Structures are given as C-alpha cells and as structure tokens.
Amino acid sequence: MTQQQPMTLTDWRGNPYTIGTTIFYPRGSSGSIEIQEGVVLDIWEAVHDVVNFTGWVRFDPENPAHQAAEEKNRANRVKVQPTGRSSRPTNYRVRRDEHGEVVRDDSGRPEWEQYDVEHKPVTLLIVENVTVADAGGTRA
C-alpha cells in the first residue's frame, strides 16, 4: 500500500495550507467570537455515512458508499493544535480566597489571575474561514 500525500486546502485568500502550517481560525468563547492561532495536525475528507447512520466519518476510498456519496454529503475536516495565542486571553479566571470567595480590589471589582491552560487539539468542522498565518509577507 502506498502512502498518501497529505491533503492541501486553500484559505479564503487563496493561500495553500497543509500539515504543519500555522493558521488562524474563529472560535466561540462566552457568546463571542475570537481568533485563535493553531498548527494544522491533519486534513481529511469526511463523508456523511447515510448507509450505516454513523454520522460524519473519514472518507474510505475502498468503500463504494463513500465513493458514491453526493457532494452535499462530503466535507473537509482540519485537526488543529492551538498554540495558546488568541485575540482574547483565555487563561484568566477570577481570583478566589481559601474559602472560595471572590477576592475584590479596593473599588469592589473582582481580581483576576492568570493560570496554565492545557490546549487540546480541535477539529474544525467549517474550514472556509481559515486564514494562513504567514502567507509570504504583506500584500499591497
């Protein structure tokens, strides 16, 4: 069996990206949207398995049902490892004392503290709004 080359997709500006590329992507956060930076770990084609009712699965070229899947039942997926850099800090929380009470400053506002966050890989279900982080410099 021959090894397949990694898939390459194109961002909304026409810049190609593949495994190892640093990208920006939108992420929901507390009712708002932020921009998150991440490194692409995997790209694959998914099909909606309407025969076995298993939902979206990785495309299998040996499976006749996958080969015959209509365009509306196909999509690309991108697995990303977040770098921790984003447009909104995600590693702050309200400071609490030893009794679990919120610590407040002299004006009564809650104090915030920074903490370490474990950034787990995520799978992007919508890839049309990905932006390549470094597309060879600035454009005129």
Side-chain angles (χ1 to χ4, degrees), residues 54-99:
T54 54
W56 289 93
V57 296
R58 190 179 288 261
F59 176 78
D60 177 5
E62 308 280 321
N63 186 330
H66 290 189
Q67 293 173 2
E70 297 177 33
E71 187 66 29
K72 68 178 183 178
N73 291 326
R74 292 177 178 245
N76 292 318
R77 300 289 190 245
V78 177
K79 187 172 189 177
V80 178
Q81 176 62 56
T83 63
R85 295 176 62 190
S86 67
S87 60
R88 294 177 54 200
T90 57
N91 60 337
Y92 284 89
R93 63 182 170 209
V94 173
R95 184 184 313 266
R96 297 186 180 274
D97 65 16
E98 61 275 1
H99 304 294

Side-chain angles (χ1 to χ4, degrees), residues 21-56:
T21 304
T22 300
I23 62 170
F24 298 114
Y25 59 95
R27 179 179 96 81
S29 171
S30 301
S32 298
I33 301 297
E34 69 179 16
I35 300 300
Q36 179 77 46
E37 181 184 76
V39 177
V40 176
L41 299 177
D42 194 9
I43 301 174
W44 68 93
E45 183 178 2
V47 293
H48 191 251
D49 193 339
V50 295
V51 174
N52 298 315
F53 303 106
T54 54
W56 289 93

Side-chain angles (χ1 to χ4, degrees), residues 102-134:
V102 173
V103 175
R104 298 184 182 278
D105 63 16
D106 293 336
S107 63
R109 291 180 296 220
E111 291 185 7
W112 294 84
E113 64 183 355
Q114 194 170 8
Y115 67 101
D116 291 331
V117 176
E118 179 186 356
H119 298 284
K120 297 178 182 178
V122 297
T123 299
L124 305 181
L125 304 181
I126 300 171
V127 299
E128 290 79 14
N129 48 17
V130 164
T131 304
V132 172
D134 183 7

